[in-house]
Amino acid sequence: MKAAQINTYGNTSVIQINEVDTPVISDTQVLVEVHASSLNPFDTIIREGYMKDTIPLQFPVTLGGDIAGVVAKVGDNVTGFAIGDNVYGQANVVAGNSGALAEFAATAAGQIAKAPDGLDFGQTAALPLVGASALQALNQHIKLESGQKIFIHGGAGGIGTVAIQIAKNIGAYVATTATREGIELVKQLGADEVIDYKEADFAESLKEYDAVFDTVGGDDFPKALTILKPGGTAVTMAGQVNEALATKLNVTAIAQYTQVSKAQLDELRLLVENAIVIPQVDKIFSLDAIKEAFEARETGSIRGKVVIEIKE
């Protein structure tokens, strides 16, 4: 089978399309014929070696996390899945799986779920990590409630587009950042207030917010703490937590590492099937064009997700 792999850390030039053996599953895994995948910032972090000290890889490594496809084989101790089921979830190597950017992926049964009805495989593949991230932040960490005010930093990105839709369904007031075509997109998704981050500083116009969900990181996360009410909660997917500043401001700051689980994916499926969450796909590439796909996500202005079509 074909797989997008690396033998060393680096930029997109280290990615190779290799012919490899189909993964052999354990008793607790499922073999999925992958129809589509999608790219996330975490895929770039892994490829470039930013986590090599904490999560060292054994090369060659198949890249990617998000998958959507069809069950091809079921481990002896797995229940709830049958050959032919449409499923979605994650197959990241660092979570003990075989990697998503391949024609077949072996993944733990607890990291996939039945796919939502009404979507094609590309749309479905755009959902797992970003959907699980938004649900974990808004429900588990922030515990967002109707009537509260939340600032979602990076609203036109993969996580931001899902988070806006979930937050609006909860009944929250949503402020977000975007620029150019992304401004119209986040408005269509329901954002109440949009700040063009190239023209204005969100910290100068937003005050007394209950929550922050940051997908941008850098110096913006400490700054985002200053817009919170005392007792507010801020979650970041990309920044460092300044505990001293959080204590001084009497707020809670959390750096989130998303855990994709069947329970989250089941919850996400219901949101999709009830038209509460609509996946946002910006660009679609073939597996053979995986280098160009990574470059588009890393250097372009992507609104939503970059999807990789693996099986037509």
Side-chain angles (χ1 to χ4, degrees), residues 97-182:
N97 308 308
S98 68
L101 292 170
E103 292 179 309
F104 288 88
T107 185
Q111 295 174 29
I112 61 172
K114 299 288 181 62
D117 291 333
L119 300 182
D120 62 33
F121 284 111
Q123 293 171 311
T124 303
L127 287 168
L129 183 62
V130 297
S133 297
L135 286 170
Q136 188 172 325
L138 300 183
N139 293 345
Q140 180 181 326
H141 290 139
I142 293 171
K143 299 178 175 64
L144 189 66
E145 297 178 358
S146 179
Q148 290 187 318
K149 296 170 68 177
I150 183 170
F151 170 53
I152 298 172
H153 193 20
I159 298 174
T161 55
V162 176
I164 290 171
Q165 295 175 82
I166 295 174
K168 288 308 300 177
N169 182 63
I170 290 171
Y173 178 94
V174 176
T176 192
T177 48
T179 195
R180 299 193 296 273
E181 295 89 347

Side-chain angles (χ1 to χ4, degrees), residues 9-56:
Y9 299 111
N11 60 25
T12 56
S13 67
V14 303
I15 305 172
Q16 300 175 336
I17 300 295
N18 295 328
E19 283 289 339
V20 300
D21 292 337
T22 300
V24 176
I25 61 171
S26 71
D27 289 347
T28 58
Q29 289 184 315
V30 173
L31 183 68
V32 178
E33 183 181 34
V34 183
H35 286 235
S37 181
S38 72
L39 301 185
N40 296 292
F42 187 69
D43 301 322
T44 299
I45 289 170
I46 292 296
R47 189 198 73 224
E48 295 194 344
Y50 290 115
M51 299 187 72
K52 63 183 177 182
D53 294 330
T54 54
I55 312 177

